[in-house]
């Protein structure tokens, strides 16, 4: 088979619907690489993680630049992304966060190693941990001085509490949190200034959301802590030791940790519609909108519990002329109690925010109807 013929065969394989997305991060961008012993097509962003596995696990080739053999072409034809993932992603443990476009930059390398090197998702061996306890050091941002300090974190063996200690030898923790009330999410360089970080959101007795920011010098440690928190919550909710129907996995996973749908700076007015705009950092996830003076504040200046559209929650274009907003890319988030007039710094950013708000509203609607 000639080189030209090889390229034509590969193009045909890439045109198959089952090969339309990267086998690992599931993005829809151009797939220019392949692992010829795994039989999967991957994107440019995932290829370096495959190389780090070693050729005994994943041997990568450029689809268009490298020479191919008849045997390699046949392996790709016999496998392909969808078929291969029926084995490699047969059973993703409920405690391991699935890769999405929101967490891909932080999770990519660890997802690929767990998938192919540890074979964690094949269902070949039990992935249920013998204990949910965990202890280790993370750097935590101070509440008042805003300094990063090394702290000992301890997740109790009975899955009920997460605590941190100022000093390793301290008997009493500085803070103890009920694990059921902890919402954890990965955060990265854009927000934290560090490649791998963790944010914990905990509602206090007054209903305010306390935010804790931590990081580790190794990405694996951060992922391990997220998995540990998800494991503890799954155990508490009764999901860790039971078989979960495939159509319920996504809903249950959302109970164990969160993902921000979008974050960044927006300008907002005060309660009066004709008030001046002020720049604030906004964080949006499926059930809550929060805004802060700066990205790493312990408490938001304000927060909104998101409800369904039929209760008056909606996002729409804002007529900046009628509201005398001045120049800018404005939109409004309407709630039963107040309209939030917001301004992005570009048309692109405005579209991203409006899509994120609609995604949050769509998910609330699905939850309310028991379909998610």
């Amino acid at each position: 088979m000639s080189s030209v013929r090889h390229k034509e065969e590969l193009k045909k394989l890439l045109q198959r619907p089952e090969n339309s997305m990267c086998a690992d991060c599931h993005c829809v961008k151009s797939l220019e690489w392949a692992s010829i012993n795994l039989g999967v097509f991957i994107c440019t962003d995932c290829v370096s993680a495959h190389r780090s596995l070693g050729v005994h696990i994943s041997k990568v080739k450029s689809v268009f630049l490298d020479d191919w053999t008849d045997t390699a072409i046949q392996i790709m034809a016999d496998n392909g992304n969808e078929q291969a993932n029926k084995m490699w992603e047969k059973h993703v443990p409920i405690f391991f966060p699935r890769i999405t476009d929101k967490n891909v930059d932080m999770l990519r390398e660890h997802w690929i190693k767990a998938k192919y090197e540890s074979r964690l998702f094949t269902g070949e061996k039990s992935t249920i941990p013998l204990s949910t306890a965990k202890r280790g050091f993370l750097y935590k941002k101070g509440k008042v001085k805003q300094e990063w300090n090394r702290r000992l974190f301890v997740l109790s063996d009975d899955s009920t509490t997460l605590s941190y200690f100022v000093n390793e030898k301290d008997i009493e923790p500085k803070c103890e949190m009920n694990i059921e009330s902890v919402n954890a999410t990965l955060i990265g360089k854009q927000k934290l200034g560090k490649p791998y970080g963790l944010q914990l959101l905990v509602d206090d007795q007054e209903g305010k959301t306390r935010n804790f920011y931590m990081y580790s010098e190794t990405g694996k440690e951060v992922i391990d802590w997220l998995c540990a928190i998800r494991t503890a919550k799954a155990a508490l909710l009764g999901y860790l030791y039971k078989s979960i129907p495939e159509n319920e996995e996504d809903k249950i996973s959302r109970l164990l940790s969160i993902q921000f749908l979008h974050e960044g700076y927006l300008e907002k007015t005060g309660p009066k519609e004709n008030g001046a705009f002020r720049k604030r950092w906004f964080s949006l996830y499926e059930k809550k909108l929060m805004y802060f003076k700066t990205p790493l504040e312990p408490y938001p200046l304000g927060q909104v519990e998101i409800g369904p559209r039929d209760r008056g929650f909606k996002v729409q274009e804002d007529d900046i002329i009628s509201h005398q907003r001045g120049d800018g890319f404005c939109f409004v988030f309407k709630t039963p109690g107040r309209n939030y007039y917001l301004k992005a710094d570009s048309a692109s950013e405005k579209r991203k925010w409006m899509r994120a708000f609609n995604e949050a509203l769509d998910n609330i609607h699905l939850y309310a109807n028991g379909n998610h």
Side-chain angles (χ1 to χ4, degrees), residues 172-191:
E172 295 295 327
K174 174 70 173 179
C175 178
E176 184 176 86
M177 299 164 264
N178 291 326
I179 199 69
E180 197 168 359
S181 67
V182 174
N183 283 314
T185 187
L186 296 173
I187 52 176
K189 202 163 189 177
Q190 179 188 8
K191 179 175 183 176

Side-chain angles (χ1 to χ4, degrees), residues 229-298:
I229 292 169
R230 288 174 60 92
T231 301
K233 293 189 77 169
L236 272 182
L237 296 171
Y239 294 122
L240 188 59
Y241 305 104
K242 64 188 290 188
S243 178
I244 299 169
E246 189 175 341
N247 63 348
E248 290 289 312
E249 284 184 3
D250 186 45
K251 178 179 179 179
I252 293 167
S253 182
R254 293 168 190 265
L255 299 176
L256 306 183
S257 62
I258 65 168
Q259 287 187 58
F260 288 123
L261 299 176
H262 200 50
E263 287 193 287
Y265 280 108
L266 288 170
E267 293 183 51
K268 66 174 285 293
T269 66
K272 294 182 179 180
E273 294 184 7
N274 59 355
F277 277 105
R278 288 187 177 147
K279 194 172 185 179
R280 298 288 183 252
W281 177 271
F282 279 77
S283 299
L284 172 68
Y285 67 100
E286 288 172 342
K287 295 183 179 180
K288 189 176 290 186
L289 172 69
M290 301 179 293
Y291 55 92
F292 307 78
K293 188 173 183 180
T294 58
L296 301 180
E297 297 286 334

Side-chain angles (χ1 to χ4, degrees), residues 38-49:
L38 297 173
V40 295
F41 291 99
I42 55 178
C43 70
T44 303
D45 292 328
C46 287
V47 69
S48 61

Side-chain angles (χ1 to χ4, degrees), residues 3-185:
S3 177
V4 174
R5 180 69 171 165
H6 285 160
K7 297 300 183 282
E8 289 302 316
E9 289 296 321
L10 287 167
K11 284 181 181 179
K12 288 179 182 178
L13 292 176
L14 281 171
Q15 288 169 359
R16 291 180 180 179
E18 60 266 31
N19 294 326
S20 61
M21 296 187 298
C22 175
D24 297 317
C25 71
H26 310 302
C27 71
V28 199
K29 62 180 71 169
S30 175
L31 305 184
E32 299 178 7
W33 295 88
S35 172
I36 61 171
N37 47 348
L38 297 173
V40 295
F41 291 99
I42 55 178
C43 70
T44 303
D45 292 328
C46 287
V47 69
S48 61
H50 272 259
R51 285 197 178 110
S52 72
L53 297 174
V55 295
H56 62 293
I57 296 176
S58 181
K59 187 175 182 180
V60 296
K61 272 183 175 289
S62 168
V63 172
F64 303 112
L65 299 179
D66 287 336
D67 292 329
W68 284 71
T69 64
D70 293 351
T71 302
I73 294 283
Q74 193 58 50
I75 291 172
M76 301 306 298
D78 292 342
N79 290 277
N81 293 2
E82 185 175 312
Q83 185 64 30
N85 277 340
K86 286 180 180 179
M87 182 184 81
W88 292 109
E89 296 183 11
K90 181 180 179 180
H91 179 66
V92 179
I94 193 64
F95 62 80
F96 203 101
R98 282 186 177 269
I99 199 165
T100 72
D101 62 335
K102 309 293 191 306
N103 65 21
V104 62
D105 290 337
M106 290 165 283
L107 195 58
R108 187 192 317 274
E109 181 181 350
H110 309 282
W111 173 267
I112 289 171
K113 283 188 175 182
K115 181 176 175 179
Y116 300 113
E117 187 175 75
S118 304
R119 303 173 74 95
L120 188 62
F121 310 149
T122 61
E124 296 172 350
K125 54 188 177 181
S126 174
T127 55
I128 299 174
L130 298 177
S131 171
T132 60
K134 181 173 173 60
R135 60 187 286 131
F137 291 93
L138 293 168
Y139 287 93
K140 174 189 167 292
K141 194 171 183 65
K143 179 180 177 182
V144 179
K145 293 185 177 181
Q146 303 282 293
E147 297 174 344
W148 292 103
N149 297 293
R150 189 169 179 264
R151 298 291 184 243
L152 174 66
F153 282 79
V154 177
L155 183 57
S156 64
D157 191 37
D158 62 1
S159 309
T160 59
T161 61
L162 174 64
S163 308
Y164 76 86
F165 298 77
V166 173
N167 298 301
E168 185 177 1
K169 295 182 180 180
D170 288 350
I171 298 174
E172 295 295 327
K174 174 70 173 179
C175 178
E176 184 176 86
M177 299 164 264
N178 291 326
I179 199 69
E180 197 168 359
S181 67
V182 174
N183 283 314
T185 187

